[in-house]
């Protein structure tokens, strides 16, 4: 069977779903092909921090109703080190901006519901997706659904299929230059049935390693601790996780880490990765298919949304006027933000993680940097304006 559409989108993560939603609002047709099931993408535990610009976009485009009701709106974070807690007041430092804590899979649920209510097409469990004719007259995507081979013919393809997807590897060899950096640590993350122990997020620097206190609701805590990249989860019974978290957080005497049943555990590796350019002929890469950031800056999801905003504007210009001027500059426009976000994510990561070498010079340097960030308004403001999200690139 052959289907036609204007924009074929591979992947129903935040990038693919938001792109499809924005295109719908501007009258452009799209079809999303997703390898996983709807249940899977709507329950996958991932990121949780939405920048101010992401919050505003979700609300302005009519998919922010549940976020408005259930999201937890934060005006700052805490940095904990050397036995003390220091608050970075985003609202005061950025002229009123903040972040929202709202799980990525809730954003995905809201976007899936909006697309399906508007009769948008999402093909779940699309297998063996293959891209063809990227530099020909029409791009083609073949896939199998329920054992039947199908073809999607489109003007353009948006590769929103994450780091391990099929889009980036479909680009001919030699077109893309990859920039990559690995880190010698990972995060062990848990979701726990425990009341959050603080109103805001706590990023803790400790000589046993980094720890992060986050949350998902007034009843659910999300906690992370620095571990080895090849950490074996079976060596971490619940008891050991709580003991380690207690050690890394409980520097302040009047503070208590609430415990409760652990609902989910995982180890997430860390890398920085950028593919340049983010376009080849009719294929545009967006989100994790084009770049990965280490999670310390809470930027992965937000960067994916920033990409598709630019891409949707490019398609809008094309379908309204026939001009590819903005589409031609898509990669260049996105990469300016991507590299600034890479810089920030790398900086937060190297500021807060314990280095494996245990180099005393490195430790003193980190403590001096933390002292500077929490005592200089200029330094705190730099952290704050990056964390709440840099303004959109002009174009
Ligand atoms: P994705 O959300 O990965 O979506 C891509 C979609 O494409 C998926 O639904 C996938 O099933 C689909 N797909 C893949 N291959 C194919 C194919 N061949 N055909 C069809 N569909 C395909 N960021 C943070 O800021 N904080 C965190 O704590 C955090 N934790 C994370 C934990 C994990 C395990 C991972 C993987 C990422 C985490 N991230 C985190 C990063 C953040 O979640 C991502 O940056 C964000 O999901 C990017 O959105 P995306 O739409 O580009 O990609
Ligand atoms: C969360 C994840 C992050 O990577 C981060 O920097 C802050 C919070 C979270 O999952 O809540």
């Amino acid at each position: 069977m052959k289907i036609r559409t204007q924009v074929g989108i591979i992947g129903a993560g935040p990038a693919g779903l938001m792109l499809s939603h924005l295109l719908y609002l501007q009258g452009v047709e799209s079809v999303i092909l997703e390898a996983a099931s709807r249940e899977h993408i709507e329950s996958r535990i991932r990121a949780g921090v939405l920048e101010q610009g992401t919050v505003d976009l979700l609300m302005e485009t009519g998919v922010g109703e549940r976020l408005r009701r259930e999201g937890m709106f934060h005006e700052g974070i805490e940095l904990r080190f050397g036995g003390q807690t220091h608050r970075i007041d985003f609202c005061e430092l950025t002229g009123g901006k903040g972040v929202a804590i709202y799980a990525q899979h809730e954003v995905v649920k809201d976007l899936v519901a909006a697309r399906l209510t508007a009769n948008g097409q999402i093909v779940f469990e699309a297998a063996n997706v293959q891209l063809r004719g990227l530099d020909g007259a029409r791009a083609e995507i073949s896939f199998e659904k329920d054992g039947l081979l199908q073809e999607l013919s489109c003007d353009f393809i948006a590769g929103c299929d994450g780091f391990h997807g099929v889009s980036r590897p479909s680009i001919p060899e030699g077109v893309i230059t990859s920039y990559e950096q690995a880190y010698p640590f990972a995060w062990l993350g848990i979701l726990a049935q425990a009341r959050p122990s603080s109103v805001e997020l706590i990023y803790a620097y400790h000589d046993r390693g980094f720890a992060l206190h986050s949350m998902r609701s007034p009843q659910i805590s999300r906690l992370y601790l620095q571990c080895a990249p090849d950490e074996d989860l079976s060596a971490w019974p619940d008891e050991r996780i709580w003991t380690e978290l207690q050690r890394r957080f409980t520097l302040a005497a009047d503070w208590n880490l609430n415990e409760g049943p652990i609902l989910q555990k995982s180890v997430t590796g860390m890398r920085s990765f950028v593919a340049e350019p983010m376009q080849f002929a009719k294929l545009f890469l967006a989100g994790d298919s084009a770049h990965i950031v280490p999670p310390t800056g809470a930027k992965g999801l937000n960067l994916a949304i920033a990409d598709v905003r630019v891409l949707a504007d490019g398609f809008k210009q094309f379908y309204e006027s026939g001009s590819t001027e903005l589409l031609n500059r898509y990669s260049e426009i996105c990469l300016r933000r991507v590299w600034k976000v890479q810089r920030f994510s790398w900086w937060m990561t190297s500021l807060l993680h314990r280095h494996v070498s245990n180099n005393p010079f490195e430790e003193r340097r980190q403590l001096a940097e933390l002292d500077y960030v929490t005592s200089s308004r200029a330094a705190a403001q730099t952290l704050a304006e990056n964390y709440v999200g840099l303004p959109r690139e002009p174009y």
Side-chain angles (χ1 to χ4, degrees), residues 115-187:
R115 291 308 300 119
L116 297 181
T117 306
N119 290 323
Q121 246 189 296
I122 308 175
V123 181
F124 292 104
E125 297 173 83
N128 198 16
V129 171
Q130 292 183 27
L131 290 68
R132 272 188 288 273
L134 295 179
D135 52 359
R138 275 189 85 72
E140 307 278 344
I141 312 174
S142 66
F143 63 98
E144 288 165 28
K145 173 69 186 166
D146 299 328
L148 285 180
L149 182 66
Q150 306 205 24
E151 288 240 330
L152 180 64
S153 168
C154 25
D155 300 335
F156 301 101
I157 299 178
C160 303
D161 48 349
F163 183 72
H164 299 288
V166 68
S167 299
R168 198 180 62 255
S170 304
I171 296 175
E173 212 160 298
V175 172
I176 284 192
T177 306
S178 299
Y179 299 86
E180 197 158 5
Q181 165 134 351
Y183 297 86
F185 32 76
W187 283 8

Side-chain angles (χ1 to χ4, degrees), residues 155-299:
D155 300 335
F156 301 101
I157 299 178
C160 303
D161 48 349
F163 183 72
H164 299 288
V166 68
S167 299
R168 198 180 62 255
S170 304
I171 296 175
E173 212 160 298
V175 172
I176 284 192
T177 306
S178 299
Y179 299 86
E180 197 158 5
Q181 165 134 351
Y183 297 86
F185 32 76
W187 283 8
L188 194 164
I190 62 162
L191 201 60
Q193 184 91 44
R195 264 188 316 106
S197 312
S198 141
V199 176
E200 294 178 330
L201 268 57
I202 306 170
Y203 287 79
Y205 174 89
H206 191 276
D207 57 12
R208 296 182 65 86
F210 168 72
L212 171 61
H213 168 273
S214 180
M215 61 205 71
R216 288 292 178 269
S217 75
Q219 294 80 34
I220 304 282
S221 296
R222 177 80 169 138
L223 297 145
Y224 299 94
L225 52 89
Q226 177 184 348
C227 63
D230 56 352
E231 197 74 51
D232 179 7
L233 259 185
S234 65
W236 287 87
D238 297 6
E239 182 74 20
R240 180 174 175 207
I241 295 177
W242 286 119
T243 305
E244 193 57 33
L245 285 168
Q246 292 284 3
R247 280 186 179 143
R248 295 190 195 184
F249 280 117
T250 319
L251 291 168
D254 57 348
W255 192 84
N256 182 45
L257 177 67
N258 298 327
E259 298 187 10
I262 295 182
L263 310 171
Q264 197 253 7
K265 287 183 209 178
S266 60
V267 172
T268 307
M270 280 199 194
R271 75 171 94 212
S272 300
F273 170 84
V274 182
E276 287 194 15
M278 291 167 57
Q279 179 206 356
F280 170 70
K282 292 180 182 299
L283 171 64
F284 295 82
L285 303 177
D288 277 16
S289 75
H291 39 70
I292 298 284
V293 286
T296 329
K299 290 289 168 219

Side-chain angles (χ1 to χ4, degrees), residues 49-69:
V49 177
L50 307 183
E51 289 177 355
Q52 183 72 59
T54 305
V55 171
D56 294 344
L57 182 69
L58 291 166
M59 292 193 177
E60 282 159 17
T61 61
V63 283
E65 200 192 306
R66 218 157 52 88
L67 164 63
R68 190 177 281 118
R69 262 198 337 263

Side-chain angles (χ1 to χ4, degrees), residues 335-346:
L335 284 167
R336 285 187 66 193
R337 184 183 191 90
V338 167
W339 277 109
K340 283 180 219 158
V341 170
Q342 286 290 358
R343 182 207 70 80
F344 176 68
S345 303
W346 166 87

